[in-house]
Amino acid sequence: MTFTVVTRGFKQEFERWTDALETANGLKPQLKSWFIDIRIFDGKDLVWMYSKLRAHPEYIGPGTYDRLARLFMAEGRKKAASRQSWHIRGHQFNWGERTYLMGVINVTPDSFSDGGQFNSVAAALQQAQAFLEAKIDILDIGGQSTRPGAEQISLGEELNRVIPVIEAIRQADDDGLKQAVISVDTTRATVARAAVEAGADIINDISGAIYEPEILNVAAEKEVPIILMHMRGTPETMQQMTDYDDLMGEITEFLRQQIDRALAVGVPIQNICIDPGIGFAKTYAQNLEILRQLSDFTELGCPILVGVSRKSFIGWILDQPDPKQREWGTAAACTAAIAGGTDILRVHNGLAMVDVTCVADAIWRKAEPKS
């Protein structure tokens, strides 16, 4: 398939529709006459045209919108397929083949869903083992609550909560637990470094490396993947910062900038994962809009993590104030995220969500059942 951009004194062919469109838009400032236009042909068919006489570019011909939408989607899928796999402790993450699950282990007394339930080493180990038995792929260990309104704890307190759990997993008698893939949920570079040195494999930063940019250097130095999430403000203030002129555009631009900053300090693109930040500086309606347009983020060329589990927008829809009673709503939101192309889902209920993702993957990814 070839796309040709034509205007006076210019003609160039492109294999990709997006490259042709970018070139055509770049030629607009050069139009000096009201009677000269820029055209894009798909083979011999005219599909796009712009001139100074037109307020907006025009898509030409019956079915053109649908055809070009399919082209955008095909290019997005091609870019997603080019993402390199992660290989961690004998576990392989092949993006696009199936959805991977990250199990939440909050070593905190005040998290919104399970605060106080796993805030001892023994309880956290028990939950880690249960997750692995349910075939969860990643254990996400965090010591700082990020629920709306949560206050920041001290560095020392966060270290004391997180590091002993990671060390205990790595020293476990059970080989499966000992070789589990661990992510550390932190915004602090010092905690990230200590966690990786204790045995964590992935850094999961809800601030997208805004709070402490040095965390990017830790990921580069230790050669571990980092997950960069979009948010505004802090957990104490974020729900007062939900005004967007262009919700998807602003989230995408933030993530693009943080990807560039990670690359600049030596984090390879294959070690970057992105998270649009469902529930973080977003209204209930905005969370739904992100899920509807999730596939837009594939253009960034990184695997996508989504965390919808038990969140308040589900409670809003269901009129359900108890987070633990939102499992059916969580299942629906997880399925929507898989349909939108998410690669990792962050969940609280491992056993139930493994079944949900298995069926959704069979539908949307044509994946074989997980053995």
Side-chain angles (χ1 to χ4, degrees):
M1 185 176 294
T2 301
F3 301 95
T4 307
V5 179
V6 179
T7 188
R8 178 179 290 180
F10 182 93
K11 181 178 181 180
Q12 188 172 348
E13 293 184 350
F14 299 87
E15 293 184 0
R16 288 167 25 106
W17 159 251
T18 46
D19 292 337
L21 185 60
E22 181 179 6
T23 299
N25 282 322
L27 291 169
K28 289 179 185 178
Q30 300 179 29
L31 290 185
K32 305 301 182 185
S33 170
W34 291 86
F35 303 103
I36 298 175
D37 56 34
I38 304 167
R39 303 185 179 199
I40 302 178
F41 292 87
D42 177 2
K44 295 182 180 181
D45 297 329
L46 176 63
V47 294
W48 185 96
M49 183 163 56
Y50 174 82
S51 75
K52 295 179 73 173
L53 289 171
R54 303 172 187 273
H56 304 284
E58 290 189 11
Y59 295 90
I60 310 298
T64 299
Y65 281 110
D66 289 341
R67 181 170 65 217
L68 296 183
R70 287 194 296 271
L71 287 170
F72 277 118
M73 291 171 65
E75 290 186 12
R77 285 194 296 269
K78 184 176 179 181
K79 191 164 188 178
S82 70
R83 299 169 301 174
Q84 295 186 37
S85 302
W86 287 357
H87 302 271
I88 303 172
R89 297 184 186 274
H91 302 270
Q92 189 160 317
F93 296 80
N94 297 319
W95 311 121
E97 287 189 2
R98 70 174 179 89
T99 306
Y100 297 89
L101 291 176
M102 172 184 282
V104 180
I105 303 178
N106 289 317
V107 194
T108 63
D110 59 341
S111 291
F112 83 97
S113 174
D114 51 15
Q117 194 171 346
F118 309 117
N119 64 338
S120 71
V121 173
L125 279 177
Q126 185 176 6
Q127 178 66 356
Q129 189 65 60
F131 273 146
L132 295 181
E133 290 173 359
K135 300 183 180 179
I136 291 290
D137 302 287
I138 304 169
L139 305 176
D140 190 47
I141 300 170
Q144 167 67 60
S145 174
T146 56
R147 62 176 173 78
E151 296 181 0
Q152 184 87 352
I153 61 172
S154 70
L155 171 61
E157 179 65 21
E158 187 176 356
L159 288 167
N160 288 337
R161 291 178 181 180
V162 169
I163 303 305
V165 175
I166 296 173
E167 291 176 339
I169 291 173
R170 290 293 171 241
Q171 295 166 12
D173 294 331
D174 182 85
D175 287 339
L177 184 57
K178 186 182 294 184
Q179 292 302 312
V181 178
I182 298 174
S183 64
V184 58
D185 180 0
T186 186
T187 62
R188 287 173 162 143
T190 299
V191 175
R193 182 181 298 278
V196 172
E197 290 174 355
D201 306 292
I202 302 166
I203 299 168
N204 182 13
D205 183 355
I206 64 155
S207 82
I210 289 294
Y211 292 176
E212 294 191 14
E214 174 65 22
I215 204 167
L216 296 174
N217 298 81
V218 176
E221 177 189 333
K222 298 297 183 181
E223 299 181 338
V224 296
I226 185 166
I227 301 166
L228 301 173
M229 193 188 84
H230 172 272
M231 74 174 298
R232 290 172 166 179
T234 68
E236 289 183 274
T237 64
M238 62 185 180
Q239 291 312 112
Q240 303 164 30
M241 306 177 72
T242 59
D243 291 333
Y244 297 85
D245 292 326
D246 176 3
L247 176 68
M248 297 300 293
E250 290 177 44
I251 295 172
T252 300
E253 185 57 29
F254 170 88
L255 292 171
R256 194 191 311 278
Q257 290 176 358
Q258 296 312 105
I259 290 169
D260 289 344
R261 287 170 179 164
L263 295 173
V265 300
V267 181
I269 187 64
Q270 63 267 25
N271 276 2
I272 301 173
C273 178
I274 56 173
D275 178 349
I278 297 285
F280 290 81
K282 318 291 191 306
T283 65
Y284 298 146
Q286 288 166 349
N287 291 322
L288 298 177
E289 190 62 26
I290 291 168
L291 287 171
R292 292 187 190 106
Q293 301 189 53
L294 191 63
S295 61
D296 289 4
F297 297 114
T298 58
E299 71 175 78
L300 296 173
C302 298
I304 301 169
L305 181 148
V306 170
V308 294
S309 182
R310 300 180 177 177
K311 288 194 172 174
S312 59
F313 80 94
I314 298 173
W316 169 64
I317 294 170
L318 301 178
D319 192 23
Q320 177 51 262
D322 183 355
K324 292 182 180 179
Q325 299 301 315
R326 299 171 184 165
E327 294 300 344
W328 289 107
T330 293
C334 285
T335 301
I338 292 170
T342 191
D343 297 287
I344 305 172
L345 285 169
R346 188 173 182 270
V347 301
H348 294 86
N349 186 333
L351 193 59
M353 293 309 124
V354 166
D355 286 350
V356 169
T357 57
C358 184
V359 174
D361 279 346
I363 297 168
W364 294 102
R365 302 188 194 274
K366 300 181 181 179
E368 294 293 328
K370 185 177 177 182
S371 59

